[in-house]
Amino acid sequence: METQADKTHTCGTICLKYLLFLFNILFWLAGGAVLAVGVWTLVEKSDYISLLNSGFYSASTYILIAAGVIVIVTGIIGCCATLKEMRSLLIVYLILLLCIFLLEIIAGVLAYINYQELDEELRQNLKVTMQQKYQQPGEESVTQAVDKLQQEFKCCGSNNFSDWTDSVWIQAADNERLVPDSCCKTPTDLCGRRDHPSNIYNVEGGCIMKLEDFILSQLYILGAVGIGIAFLQLVGMMFTCCLYQNLKEDPY
């Protein structure tokens, strides 16, 4: 005959199972969000990679996608371990949670350090890249990235439109333009022949400021998502330890 203590213990175990299962659903959704942000960044913003000498931006995007996949897989393992009450699988799940938590801390520190270097690199190289590689043979990816950057962020030149004065392409004898057509507020063929502010974008700080703001906003988003997932992980690790202890004491 089941004692009152056994009933209470069983009820506590069931509650822990449901709490941990709910946590895993949230964790799985968070992993999906991280994966979605990584894929969106890779698909929509990958053109800007060609404007940077560093591979940090592209590497961070792939790391983000990998992290999303790992979180989703970990969530699935957690659901299986919880529903089947497998103590060995709970240990694997707990270790995975701890590893992801530590990796998030390391990734956060590296992202902050690398952003400082990326920002400095951007300021040093964007102007030269635009002037030396735009519309040059074999540099189609740079040309496409510059045009997209200027149209999407409504800017012209690295610091301002006058940067294009020293462009190899602008200085070519057969070029009638003062700035690329992508600088124009209403892009049309040869609209870059006029560099008056009424015709082209003349933003204070130029495209460098716009691109810096974009990268910084991406880091803020990743930081917020990372903090949210880290909080979920701490809760999940606590629930996992409690459930493991209860299952260990359950008679079979």
Side-chain angles (χ1 to χ4, degrees):
M1 189 173 180
E2 192 177 32
T3 65
Q4 184 65 33
D6 290 335
K7 289 180 180 179
T8 304
H9 183 235
T10 302
C11 180
T13 302
I14 292 173
C15 288
L16 280 171
K17 282 179 63 178
Y18 279 115
L19 285 172
L20 190 54
F21 184 77
L22 177 61
F23 159 78
N24 279 300
I25 295 296
L26 294 175
F27 195 55
W28 187 85
L29 291 174
V34 171
L35 180 61
V37 170
V39 172
W40 173 79
T41 303
L42 184 65
V43 172
E44 293 294 325
K45 307 299 178 182
S46 60
D47 288 337
Y48 300 145
I49 294 174
S50 59
L51 299 178
L52 307 170
N53 291 335
S54 170
F56 168 71
Y57 188 81
S58 57
S60 63
T61 301
Y62 287 112
I63 290 172
L64 196 62
I65 293 173
V69 172
I70 292 171
V71 168
I72 290 174
V73 172
T74 302
I76 293 173
I77 292 174
C79 287
C80 293
T82 303
L83 293 176
K84 295 185 177 182
E85 299 185 5
M86 297 173 63
R87 294 197 301 273
S88 58
L89 203 54
L90 280 174
I91 290 295
V92 172
Y93 175 61
L94 183 61
I95 292 173
L96 285 173
L97 284 179
L98 183 60
C99 289
I100 295 173
F101 183 75
L102 293 175
L103 285 173
E104 283 177 343
I105 295 175
I106 295 172
V109 173
L110 290 177
Y112 177 77
I113 295 173
N114 278 287
Y115 172 73
Q116 309 302 318
E117 296 177 358
L118 185 64
D119 185 45
E120 183 62 27
E121 175 205 325
L122 190 62
R123 289 185 171 275
Q124 291 178 356
N125 297 324
L126 184 59
K127 181 178 179 179
V128 175
T129 299
M130 285 181 164
Q131 291 176 339
Q132 300 296 324
K133 296 183 178 181
Y134 185 78
Q135 290 289 6
Q136 298 305 298
E139 300 292 352
E140 289 78 11
S141 60
V142 172
T143 300
Q144 181 180 352
V146 170
D147 286 337
K148 183 176 180 179
L149 176 67
Q150 295 190 142
Q151 275 297 297
E152 186 171 341
F153 292 129
K154 299 182 179 357
C155 57
C156 183
S158 178
N159 296 293
N160 54 62
F161 70 92
S162 63
D163 291 338
W164 287 109
T165 303
D166 298 323
S167 166
V168 173
W169 175 66
I170 293 294
Q171 292 178 347
D174 59 345
N175 195 349
E176 303 176 48
R177 298 171 180 84
L178 297 175
V179 295
D181 294 339
S182 57
C183 280
C184 299
K185 296 177 180 178
T186 306
T188 56
D189 190 35
L190 295 178
C191 67
R193 288 181 295 185
R194 292 180 59 247
D195 59 3
H196 192 273
S198 63
N199 182 52
I200 66 171
Y201 295 117
N202 187 17
V203 180
E204 185 69 28
C207 292
I208 277 186
M209 183 189 70
K210 295 286 187 176
L211 195 52
E212 283 177 337
D213 289 344
F214 165 73
I215 294 174
L216 190 59
S217 68
Q218 290 292 99
L219 288 178
Y220 282 147
I221 292 172
L222 297 182
V225 172
I227 291 172
I229 292 178
F231 175 76
L232 282 176
Q233 285 172 286
L234 290 175
V235 175
M237 284 188 278
M238 180 183 67
F239 286 156
T240 303
C241 290
C242 292
L243 180 59
Y244 178 83
Q245 187 65 28
N246 277 19
L247 291 177
K248 188 176 182 181
E249 294 174 356
D250 280 347
Y252 290 100

